[in-house]
């Protein structure tokens, strides 16, 4: 039994590292792109890019019809059964509905572009820019359908390659546009990046399943089930994208485009950085949780083990990030972004609460309670928007960072409280102990960042990073075969 437990921990650690590594490479490529943006178009240009990207994401979520989620369960079942004829038919259904979603996305952007321009800008007319985003929304819908096909047919390696190639390609495409056109190159870069992503995805999917469009009336009827399944998740994602769009529009109207750029830089480096650990949850953890979702004890065990490993892996990374932010931000962006260091450092604390929330939040998804998921997500985003508005109004860009922590604390209390009463979820004492120790180290590191300077800052922060790392390694050594495997590899 003890050996089986260690195998489970080793499995979680392995796949978290694997998918985190792919996500880390994509993030690294994105940082190169952002560095080029910071040098060529500055904070205001990055703010403009962030605003346009958030609008693109919002439009894509509103019109995607949930195909990337709703299509996977049925296709996966057919693929496992080995029914090639039915699989080919379902691929035709997905591709037809992807085209429908693409048309809806294009029309949506054309229709709402004047309204979004009025809400998000106090200067100039950017209606054409928003309308141009319709092209990127349309090709993203096509790519989403092909991605669903690759997921369902277990082409995991292809998906990893697509992410990497598309990220690298976006750098190659966008940097010349920023260099020659400056701010005017932002929207073309977004559109061309989306087109490149679609083309790369279609190359890989067409290799296994040649791309052919086919129309039959029954395909419309058979695709409705996919749309219904993903509708609540689409609405939740749309609310999330809409919230981000509202926040950036508010910062632009009440502050300036420079402050939108600063907020986006801090958000990206502190929030997105943790995504390297979280990226494995949808790919590996969610299927494992779904398999035991009806068993309360097995669900609790699966959630708690995932949370333990994620917390222990992420915590040292957060302390190290907090320490290096004053150096990383000017390197990754430019000295123009130094005012955002304080916001980024306080926002790092939010990730301690996210890692204690996300594994529990997946219980609702695993049990298929889409409306409950929609309500919980909506409540979080409402609190997030209100918190950022109040925080920025009272404390500027640093207040926005504090608001991120407040929103994540609320989300932690809400999700865990709901799971406690609804699903009989119980957190182990081990998690409580690990969280108290690692969060305490993180808070001390944050306080040191406020009070210390010079060599004192670096020595104390480095010591705290070592403490957090040593504690995580000590616990993980007890729970996995990691240490034995490492000794065998090094022949110690």
């Amino acid at each position: 039994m003890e050996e089986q437990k260690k195998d489970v921990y080793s499995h979680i650690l392995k796949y978290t590292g694997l998918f985190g590594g792919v996500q880390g490479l994509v993030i690294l490529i994105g940082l190169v792109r952002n560095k080029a943006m910071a040098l060529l178009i500055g904070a205001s240009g990055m703010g403009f890019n962030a605003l346009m990207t958030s609008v693109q994401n919002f439009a894509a979520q509103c019109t995607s019809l949930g195909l990337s989620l709703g299509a996977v369960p049925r296709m996966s079942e057919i693929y496992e059964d080995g029914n090639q004829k039915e699989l080919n038919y379902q691929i035709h259904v997905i591709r037809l509905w992807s085209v429908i979603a693409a048309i809806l996305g294009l029309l949506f952007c054309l229709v709402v572009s004047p309204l979004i321009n009025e809400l998000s800008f106090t200067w100039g007319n950017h209606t054409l820019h928003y309308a141009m985003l319709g092209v990127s929304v349309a090709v993203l819908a096509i790519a989403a359908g092909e991605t669903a096909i690759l997921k369902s047919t277990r082409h995991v390696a292809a998906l990893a390659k697509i992410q990497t190639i598309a990220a690298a390609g976006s750098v190659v495409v966008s940097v010349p546009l920023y260099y020659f056109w400056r701010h005017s190159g932002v929207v073309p870069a977004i559109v061309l990046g989306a087109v490149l992503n679609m083309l790369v995805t279609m190359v890989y999917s067409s290799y296994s399943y040649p791309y052919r469009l086919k129309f039959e009336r029954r395909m419309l009827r058979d695709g409705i089930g996919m749309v219904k399944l993903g509708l609540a998740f689409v609405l939740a994602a749309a609310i999330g994208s809409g919230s981000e769009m509202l926040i950036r529009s508010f910062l632009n109207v009440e502050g300036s485009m420079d402050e939108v750029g600063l907020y986006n830089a801090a958000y990206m480096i502190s929030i997105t950085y943790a995504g390297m650990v979280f990226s494995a949850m949808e790919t590996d953890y969610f299927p494992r949780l779904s398999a035991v979702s009806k068993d309360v004890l097995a669900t609790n065990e699966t959630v708690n083990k995932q949370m333990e490993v994620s917390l222990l892996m992420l915590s040292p990374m957060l302390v190290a990030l907090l320490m290096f932010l004053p150096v990383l931000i000017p390197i990754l962006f430019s000295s123009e972004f130094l005012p955002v260091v304080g916001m980024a450092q306080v926002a790092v604390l939010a990730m301690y609460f996210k890692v204690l929330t996300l594994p529990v939040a997946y219980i609702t998804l695993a049990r298929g309670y889409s409306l409950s998921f929609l309500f919980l997500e909506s409540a979080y985003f409402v609190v997030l928007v209100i918190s950022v508005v109040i925080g920025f109004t009272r404390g500027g860009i640093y207040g926005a960072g504090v608001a991120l922590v407040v929103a994540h604390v609320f989300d932690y209390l809400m999700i865990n409280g709901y799971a406690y009463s609804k699903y009989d979820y119980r957190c182990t004492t081990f998690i409580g102990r690990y969280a108290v120790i690692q969060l305490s180290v993180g808070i001390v590191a944050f306080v040191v960042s406020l009070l210390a300077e010079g060599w004192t800052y670096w020595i104390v922060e480095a010591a705290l990073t070592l403490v957090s790392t040593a504690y995580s390694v000590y616990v993980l050594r007890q729970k996995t075969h990691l240490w034995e495997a490492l000794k065998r590899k090094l022949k110690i």
Side-chain angles (χ1 to χ4, degrees):
M1 180 64 69
E2 186 64 27
E3 290 297 308
Q4 290 179 343
K5 288 183 177 180
K6 287 190 173 184
D7 286 339
V8 172
Y9 282 112
S10 298
H11 172 91
I12 297 171
L13 191 61
K14 174 184 175 181
Y15 282 94
T16 300
L18 175 63
F19 293 111
V22 173
Q23 186 67 22
L25 180 58
V26 172
I27 291 173
L28 181 61
I29 295 172
L31 290 175
V32 173
R33 179 172 178 267
N34 287 319
K35 175 67 174 181
M37 289 176 62
L39 294 176
L40 295 173
I41 59 179
S44 62
M46 290 192 71
F48 183 57
N49 178 79
L51 185 58
M52 290 295 155
T53 302
S54 64
V55 172
Q56 174 197 253
N57 293 338
F58 175 69
Q61 295 294 352
C62 286
T63 60
S64 68
L65 303 179
L67 296 181
S68 61
L69 174 72
V72 173
R74 175 59 179 157
M75 274 201 64
S76 296
E77 181 181 348
I78 295 171
Y79 177 77
E80 289 295 331
D81 291 340
N83 189 338
Q84 189 62 43
K85 182 178 179 180
E86 181 64 18
L87 179 65
N88 290 334
Y89 173 74
Q90 287 297 322
I91 289 174
H92 286 307
V93 172
I94 292 173
R95 285 172 170 166
L96 174 62
W97 276 91
S98 295
V99 172
I100 294 173
I103 295 171
L104 288 175
L106 180 61
L107 294 176
F108 179 85
C109 288
L110 292 175
V111 171
V112 304
S113 55
L115 175 61
I116 298 178
N117 177 70
E118 291 295 325
L119 292 175
S120 57
F121 280 95
T122 57
W123 52 272
N125 189 338
H126 298 271
T127 302
L128 180 60
H129 289 143
Y130 288 124
M132 288 174 61
L133 291 177
V135 177
S136 65
V137 172
V139 298
L140 285 174
I142 301 295
E146 300 305 302
T147 299
I149 294 171
L150 291 172
K151 283 182 179 179
S152 303
T153 54
R154 310 298 191 269
H155 287 77
V156 179
L159 290 169
K161 292 176 183 177
I162 289 168
Q163 278 190 305
T164 306
I165 295 172
S170 70
V171 176
V172 175
V173 168
S174 60
V175 172
L177 292 173
Y178 300 146
Y179 181 80
F180 290 108
W181 289 1
R182 304 294 174 177
H183 286 62
S184 299
V186 168
V187 174
I190 293 174
V191 174
L192 288 177
V195 171
L196 177 64
N197 177 67
M198 178 197 71
L199 292 176
V200 174
T201 306
M202 290 185 69
V203 166
Y204 277 94
S205 64
S206 297
Y207 180 79
S208 300
Y209 306 99
Y211 191 89
R212 297 187 186 92
L213 275 179
K214 186 177 180 181
F215 175 78
E216 295 178 8
R217 189 179 297 274
R218 64 177 181 140
M219 290 181 178
L220 296 176
R221 181 184 67 251
D222 292 341
I224 292 176
M226 297 186 301
V227 176
K228 287 182 178 179
L229 180 61
L231 184 59
F233 305 102
V234 168
L235 291 175
I239 291 171
S241 298
S243 300
E244 292 299 327
M245 184 180 68
L246 284 174
I247 289 171
R248 286 162 175 79
S249 297
F250 167 79
L251 294 176
N252 182 38
V253 173
E254 296 298 321
S256 67
M257 189 59 73
D258 285 352
E259 285 171 307
V260 178
L262 293 174
Y263 173 86
N264 193 66
Y267 186 92
M268 181 188 64
I269 199 169
S270 58
I271 306 298
T272 308
Y273 175 78
M276 290 189 292
V277 172
F278 300 143
S279 62
M281 291 195 183
E282 182 177 348
T283 311
D284 174 62
Y285 164 65
F286 180 49
R288 287 190 291 109
L289 181 63
S290 299
V292 298
S293 60
K294 299 298 187 291
D295 186 328
V296 174
L297 293 179
T299 295
N300 285 348
E301 184 179 14
T302 303
V303 171
N304 288 329
K305 286 181 178 179
Q306 182 71 38
M307 191 183 296
E308 286 178 30
V309 175
S310 299
L311 175 65
L312 292 168
M313 288 187 67
L314 183 62
S315 296
M317 297 167 60
L318 293 178
V319 180
L321 175 64
L322 200 150
M323 173 177 64
F324 285 113
L325 275 172
V327 176
L328 284 174
I329 285 180
I331 291 176
L332 297 175
F333 301 100
S334 70
S335 57
E336 183 182 5
F337 289 81
L338 280 174
V340 85
V341 170
M343 175 193 167
Q345 287 177 323
V346 70
V348 165
L349 298 179
M351 293 300 95
Y352 286 98
F353 294 96
K354 184 170 183 177
V355 78
L356 296 172
T357 302
L358 197 57
V360 183
Y362 272 98
I363 300 177
T364 301
L365 291 172
R367 295 202 175 186
Y369 297 149
S370 55
L371 290 180
S372 298
F373 173 75
L374 176 61
F375 171 78
L376 294 170
E377 285 290 287
S378 301
Y380 162 71
F381 284 116
V382 168
V383 172
L384 176 65
V385 172
I386 294 174
S387 299
V388 171
V389 169
I390 296 174
F392 180 79
T393 302
R394 297 187 177 182
I397 201 71
Y398 183 82
V402 175
L404 291 175
V405 179
V406 171
H408 279 83
V409 170
F410 168 80
D411 197 35
Y412 164 75
L413 296 174
M414 175 181 66
I415 294 294
N416 280 270
Y418 183 82
Y420 183 92
S421 60
K422 179 74 173 179
Y423 310 124
D424 291 324
Y425 167 70
R426 298 296 183 266
C427 178
T428 65
T429 56
F430 291 109
I431 292 176
R433 183 193 310 162
Y434 305 152
V436 168
I437 292 173
Q438 293 287 17
L439 180 58
S440 297
V441 174
I443 291 174
V444 172
F446 173 70
V447 173
V448 170
S449 72
L450 297 177
L451 302 178
E453 296 180 356
W455 285 107
T456 303
Y457 171 87
W458 291 106
I459 291 173
V460 176
E461 292 285 22
L464 291 169
T465 302
L466 289 174
V467 169
S468 179
T469 303
Y471 182 72
S472 289
V473 170
Y474 170 76
V475 175
L476 288 172
R477 275 180 58 185
Q478 292 183 319
K479 292 182 175 293
T480 70
H481 296 296
L482 178 65
W483 182 243
E484 288 76 12
L486 182 60
K487 286 193 294 185
R488 287 195 301 270
K489 186 174 182 180
L490 297 177
K491 298 180 179 179
I492 296 176

